[in-house]
């Protein structure tokens, strides 16, 4: 009754104070999202603290014969030669194959976004504090349809609470749609697949979903997520290579030239562009790269260098080396040298011998840079040794450089993102 009167509401903050997971039926936490969808379509800014089950798009699930990837999957199975080779494991492998194909096809349909209807078409700002429950499906569709979305902040990755994953719309509309159709009967195996898809309707997002969002949302100007880092192997565009070395023995269409091209591509790693590269002004994100492979560091620095309007860069928990021998000059690839004003949590390199020279390099390369925060892990470096590493901050040439504040940041206390 209260929300019905808020038809012109544009900004809202919601805190989760009740233990919804203990009494999901009596508490009916999903009713809040439905009420906001129905009565507050003009919402532009949503700030959520806690696992509030607020969704952003309709994800129709019934009847199953209207879901393209379900109907296609009903006729798919593992290739015959693999079924023969696997023997007793064939049934289990076939199930795993179907579930993998189910996820791939579902992601493809989500990325098309044809059947999705946004609850809040005017949404510009979404801030998720604490342990939230933004689903992978909603995140991808925000990337496809979030035309006005300019700010997305997440303090943690989404929480895999079972009460959220298991909730799906079983209201009158969905039930009526199911009863009015006469879908063909499914086999026992496919029924299990459909039920699995239903239970995971609001799946927790992972690195793949996050990157799919960033590769699609061009309006984004401010993006921040903390609590975890993106591993390099998830960041790169992986080439498609034959799954079995002897595939040509079973496949008449086997192309040796195509395989050679795929292997060559595997050697030349690529990070796909993000749609927001020309607009992004603030970025807070961690990258996990190998300490033994300078090529990985160089690729990430060049990727960051694409953001021509970036003003603030936070590299929380990153394992990047900011060193000329690890490609840090890749930051100068675009126009960031004229816009960057702040770098925080810059990791690793300041513990090496060339830390003084690199501070001066940042000073010369980024004329507008005024704040440089250097990451310092207090749990692995004792105080006396830390002072030795920080001694370069007292050099007169460092004090007089164009950067107004060069300081050491304590690394955050390590904790589980859940």
């Amino acid at each position: 009754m209260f929300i019905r009167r808020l038809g012109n509401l544009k900004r809202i903050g919601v805190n989760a104070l009740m233990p919804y997971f203990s009494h999901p039926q009596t508490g009916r936490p999903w009713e809040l999202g439905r009420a906001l969808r129905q009565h507050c379509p003009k919402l532009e800014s949503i700030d959520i603290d806690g696992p509030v089950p607020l969704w952003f798009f309709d994800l129709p699930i019934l009847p199953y014969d209207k879901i393209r990837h379900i109907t296609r999957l009903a006729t798919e199975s593992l290739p015959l030669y693999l079924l023969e080779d696997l023997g007793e494991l064939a049934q289990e492998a076939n199930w795993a194959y179907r579930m993998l194909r189910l996820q791939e096809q579902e992601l493809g349909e989500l990325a098309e976004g044809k059947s999705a209807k946004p609850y809040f078409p005017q949404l510009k700002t979404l801030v998720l504090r604490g342990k939230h429950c933004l689903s992978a499906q909603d995140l991808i569709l925000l990337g496809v349809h979030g035309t006005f979305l300019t700010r997305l902040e997440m303090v943690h990755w989404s929480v895999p609470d079972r009460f959220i994953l298991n909730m799906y719309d079983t209201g009158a509309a969905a039930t009526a749609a199911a009863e009015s159709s006469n879908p063909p009967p499914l086999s026992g195996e496919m029924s299990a697949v459909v039920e699995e898809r239903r239970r995971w309707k609001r799946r927790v997002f992972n690195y793949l979903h996050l990157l799919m969002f960033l590769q699609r949302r061009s309006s984004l100007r401010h993006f921040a997520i903390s609590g975890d880092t993106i591993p390099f192997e998830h960041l790169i565009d992986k080439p498609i290579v034959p799954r079995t070395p002897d595939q040509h023995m079973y496949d008449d269409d086997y192309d040796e030239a195509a395989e050679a091209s795929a292997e060559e591509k595997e050697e030349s790693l690529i990070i796909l562009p993000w749609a927001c590269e020309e607009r992004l002004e603030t970025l807070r994100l961690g990258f996990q790269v190998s300490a033994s492979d300078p090529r990985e560091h160089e690729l990430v620095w060049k990727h960051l260098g694409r953001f021509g309007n970036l003003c603030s860069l936070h590299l929380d928990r990153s394992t990047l080396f900011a060193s000329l021998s690890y490609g840090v000059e890749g930051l100068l690839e675009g126009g960031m040298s004229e816009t960057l004003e702040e770098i925080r949590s810059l990791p690793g390199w300041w513990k090496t011998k060339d830390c003084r020279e690199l501070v001066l390099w940042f000073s010369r390369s980024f004329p507008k840079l005024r704040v440089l925060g250097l990451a310092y892990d207090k749990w692995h470096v004792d105080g006396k040794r830390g002072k030795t590493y920080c001694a370069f901050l007292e050099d007169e040439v460092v004090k007089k450089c164009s950067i107004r504040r060069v300081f050491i940041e304590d690394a955050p206390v390590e904790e589980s993102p859940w």
Side-chain angles (χ1 to χ4, degrees), residues 49-200:
D49 190 353
V52 179
L54 178 61
W55 302 327
F56 298 88
F57 293 88
D58 275 322
L59 297 178
I61 190 169
L62 296 173
Y64 61 81
D65 62 326
K66 302 299 183 183
I67 304 172
R68 284 182 293 142
H69 67 262
I70 290 292
T71 55
R72 286 200 303 264
L73 193 68
T75 60
E76 281 194 13
S77 63
L78 275 177
L80 180 60
Y81 65 86
L82 286 180
L83 288 173
E84 294 173 348
D85 291 346
L86 290 172
E88 295 181 359
L89 296 176
Q91 184 174 357
E92 182 178 346
N94 192 34
W95 170 261
Y97 173 81
R98 284 173 178 265
M99 294 310 300
L100 178 62
R101 293 291 294 149
L102 176 68
Q103 295 174 23
E104 291 175 348
Q105 293 169 358
E106 182 182 13
L107 286 178
E109 291 183 22
L110 281 171
E112 292 176 8
K114 293 181 179 179
S115 61
K117 297 180 181 179
Y119 294 173
F120 313 110
Q122 306 299 320
L123 187 64
K124 297 179 180 178
T125 299
L126 177 60
V127 179
L128 304 170
R129 309 179 191 277
K131 298 179 178 180
H132 62 86
C133 59
L134 180 66
S135 72
Q137 291 84 346
D138 281 315
L139 181 62
I140 292 174
L141 290 172
L142 279 173
V144 177
H145 292 293
T147 307
F148 302 104
L149 187 67
T150 58
R151 179 183 296 272
L152 176 60
E153 297 183 17
M154 294 180 277
V155 177
H156 288 284
W157 292 67
S158 51
V159 180
D161 280 348
R162 185 170 299 278
F163 84 98
I164 294 170
L165 298 179
N166 288 347
M167 284 195 302
Y168 56 92
D169 193 356
T170 57
T175 303
E179 292 175 352
S180 64
S181 63
N182 295 304
L186 292 175
S187 65
E189 183 181 8
M190 277 309 301
S191 296
V193 170
V194 172
E195 182 59 25
E196 183 74 7
R197 195 264 188 210
R198 179 180 292 115
R199 290 194 300 109
W200 286 79

Side-chain angles (χ1 to χ4, degrees), residues 155-332:
V155 177
H156 288 284
W157 292 67
S158 51
V159 180
D161 280 348
R162 185 170 299 278
F163 84 98
I164 294 170
L165 298 179
N166 288 347
M167 284 195 302
Y168 56 92
D169 193 356
T170 57
T175 303
E179 292 175 352
S180 64
S181 63
N182 295 304
L186 292 175
S187 65
E189 183 181 8
M190 277 309 301
S191 296
V193 170
V194 172
E195 182 59 25
E196 183 74 7
R197 195 264 188 210
R198 179 180 292 115
R199 290 194 300 109
W200 286 79
K201 180 183 177 186
R202 303 283 176 172
R203 184 180 296 110
V204 171
F205 72 82
N206 57 28
Y207 307 113
L208 171 63
H209 307 125
L210 182 66
L211 292 173
M212 289 181 69
F213 166 80
L214 292 171
Q215 290 163 6
R216 286 163 173 77
R217 187 67 271 131
S218 59
S219 62
L220 208 61
R221 294 172 57 189
H222 308 278
F223 177 76
I225 181 170
S226 55
D228 203 354
T229 56
I230 296 184
F232 181 79
E233 57 268 23
H234 293 278
L235 188 64
I236 59 174
D237 179 33
K238 297 177 181 176
I240 299 176
V241 296
R243 295 191 177 185
T244 59
D246 299 325
Q247 182 173 353
H248 59 281
M249 296 177 61
Y250 309 97
D251 190 352
D252 294 334
D253 297 325
Y254 176 76
D255 188 341
E256 292 185 3
E259 181 183 7
S261 175
E263 291 176 350
E264 181 180 351
K265 184 179 180 182
E266 189 174 22
E267 294 300 321
S268 56
L269 303 176
I270 298 173
I271 298 178
L272 291 178
W274 295 354
C276 54
E277 289 177 358
E278 296 182 359
R279 296 193 177 204
L280 205 64
E281 296 177 11
T282 62
L283 174 63
R284 183 169 189 164
L285 189 61
F287 300 93
Q288 186 76 28
V289 295
S290 170
S292 60
D293 190 351
R295 180 179 54 168
E296 294 186 9
H297 299 253
E298 182 179 358
L299 280 171
V300 175
W301 287 123
K302 285 185 177 181
H303 173 66
L304 293 174
R306 296 171 178 171
F307 301 97
N309 289 312
L310 202 66
C311 298
S312 177
L313 175 62
H314 285 229
L315 296 168
D316 292 354
R317 302 172 184 265
S318 295
T319 58
L320 286 167
F321 290 166
S323 168
L324 295 176
S325 59
Y326 281 79
V328 71
E329 63 271 20
L331 286 175
L332 303 175

